[in-house]
């Protein structure tokens, strides 16, 4: 869910915006507007990090192919249980 704040209100609330996002689990992003048009998005760092990582994977042709292959292998039941993988990797 997105909460919308005008720029002037966002300025007043800037230091409390992280608590707003954390307190209200329903709000994922705060949309900040200027003259009624969105100009900024404020989101928890974890969400930003996940989006950035996803974009990195999706922007890399080789990583996309590896991801697609991994998903196909999982769907076919060829996945290795995590406990076995840790032993194999020496973790």
């Amino acid at each position: 869910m997105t909460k919308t704040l005008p720029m002037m209100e966002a300025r007043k609330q800037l230091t409390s915006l992280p608590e707003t996002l954390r307190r209200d689990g329903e709000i994922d992003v705060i949309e900040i507007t200027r003259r009624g048009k969105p100009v900024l998005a404020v989101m928890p760092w974890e969400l930003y990090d996940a989006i950035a990582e996803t974009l990195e994977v999706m922007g890399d042709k080789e990583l996309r192919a590896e991801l697609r292959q991994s998903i196909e292998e999982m769907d076919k039941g060829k996945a290795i249980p995590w406990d076995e993988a840790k032993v194999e990797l020496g973790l």
Side-chain angles (χ1 to χ4, degrees):
M1 183 170 137
T2 302
K3 177 179 181 175
T4 302
L5 282 178
M7 181 69 76
M8 294 304 290
E9 189 60 32
R11 277 185 178 175
K12 292 177 193 174
Q13 295 183 27
L14 182 61
T15 59
S16 65
L17 291 180
E19 286 75 21
T20 300
L21 289 166
R22 201 173 303 125
R23 180 178 58 245
D24 187 347
E26 301 265 327
I27 298 173
D28 297 323
V29 177
I30 297 174
E31 175 185 280
I32 299 175
T33 60
R34 181 181 288 147
R35 296 184 189 99
K37 295 184 180 184
V39 292
L40 294 171
V42 177
M43 64 187 77
W45 182 260
E46 294 80 15
L47 177 57
Y48 165 78
D49 200 34
I51 291 169
E53 187 174 327
T54 300
L55 289 173
E56 183 179 334
V57 169
M58 299 313 289
D60 185 314
K61 195 174 188 176
E62 290 176 21
L63 282 176
R64 263 195 338 261
E66 288 177 21
L67 176 61
R68 193 172 292 121
Q69 180 182 352
S70 297
I71 292 169
E72 287 173 8
E73 288 176 4
M74 281 182 43
D75 288 346
K76 292 177 183 175
K78 294 182 179 178
I80 299 171
W82 178 235
D83 291 335
E84 289 179 30
K86 287 193 303 188
V87 171
E88 191 175 314
L89 295 170
L91 300 177

